[in-house]
Amino acid sequence: MDFKALVTSARSCRRFYEEKPLSIDDLEWLVDCARLAPSARNAQILRYVLVGPGQTCQELFPLTRWAGALKDWGGPFPGERPTGFIAIMVPQEGGELVSYDVGIAGQTIQLAATSRGWGCCFIYAVDREKASVLLQVPDGMKIAVVMGLGVAKEERAVTTLPADGSTAYWRDAQGVHYVPKRPLSELILARY
């Protein structure tokens, strides 16, 4: 697949085929891709907790919040929930560059998942206190972000901004999830 096509199709996915679960091996492959990505000062300070299908996955799900812009949607319903999670951990005192590493690793996981037809969603809205106990986060570490994963069940598409300029995503009557993007002409400030 062309890289630009891969990036275009790597939209947040919020509905999954629960009957087609990802395995721990699948999650390990995603983290293996992330570990090969660049790291600030090559410090490689991120750590990961993998949650495959099963009891812990079911207990972690209600500690997450999904799609804040979709006010009339309560999140993935039974049968459409993620079958795995990757929690990206950072040191409590990680320094100013840690957010870059989280972004690079998370995007690498998202692109790798998309390359296999899997869906992925960055979840920042998580009950960190309860999730930290559930996932037995080691002392000195904290959850930066949780990524919900599974075989993608929803169609996602990039579209142009509406006339009002809103960047809010939405779903149509068929359940297609649209993500408006600004045109390139608005983003480039100068050419020298």
Side-chain angles (χ1 to χ4, degrees), residues 14-18 61 75-84 149-150:
R14 296 173 180 89
R15 292 179 289 176
F16 310 90
Y17 288 104
E18 276 189 74
F61 175 78
F77 298 113
E80 297 183 331
R81 292 180 174 162
T83 61
L149 295 139

Side-chain angles (χ1 to χ4, degrees), residues 121-142:
C121 186
F122 281 72
I123 307 165
Y124 188 76
V126 60
D127 183 330
R128 282 174 176 70
E129 186 176 328
K130 290 180 182 174
S132 294
V133 171
L134 176 67
L135 301 178
Q136 301 176 23
V137 174
D139 288 340
M141 300 293 287
K142 65 182 180 180

Side-chain angles (χ1 to χ4, degrees), residues 11 43 93 148 156:
R11 312 275 40 98
E93 305 299 326
R156 289 111 46 219

Side-chain angles (χ1 to χ4, degrees), residues 41-59:
R41 297 184 315 269
N42 199 34
Q44 304 173 57
I45 62 172
L46 303 182
R47 298 296 181 267
Y48 305 86
V49 173
L50 310 182
V51 180
Q55 186 65 31
T56 303
C57 188
Q58 292 170 12
E59 291 177 21

Side-chain angles (χ1 to χ4, degrees), residues 81-158:
R81 292 180 174 162
T83 61
F85 289 97
I86 296 175
I88 300 178
M89 306 290 161
V90 297
Q92 291 281 358
E93 305 299 326
E96 64 185 43
L97 297 178
V98 72
S99 61
Y100 296 102
D101 279 7
V102 171
I104 291 167
Q107 182 67 25
T108 300
I109 289 168
Q110 175 118 21
L111 291 169
T114 301
S115 78
R116 293 207 166 169
W118 303 337
C120 178
C121 186
F122 281 72
I123 307 165
Y124 188 76
V126 60
D127 183 330
R128 282 174 176 70
E129 186 176 328
K130 290 180 182 174
S132 294
V133 171
L134 176 67
L135 301 178
Q136 301 176 23
V137 174
D139 288 340
M141 300 293 287
K142 65 182 180 180
I143 298 171
V145 68
V146 173
M147 304 185 79
L149 295 139
V151 176
K153 188 175 184 176
E154 67 181 0
E155 183 180 342
R156 289 111 46 219
V158 170

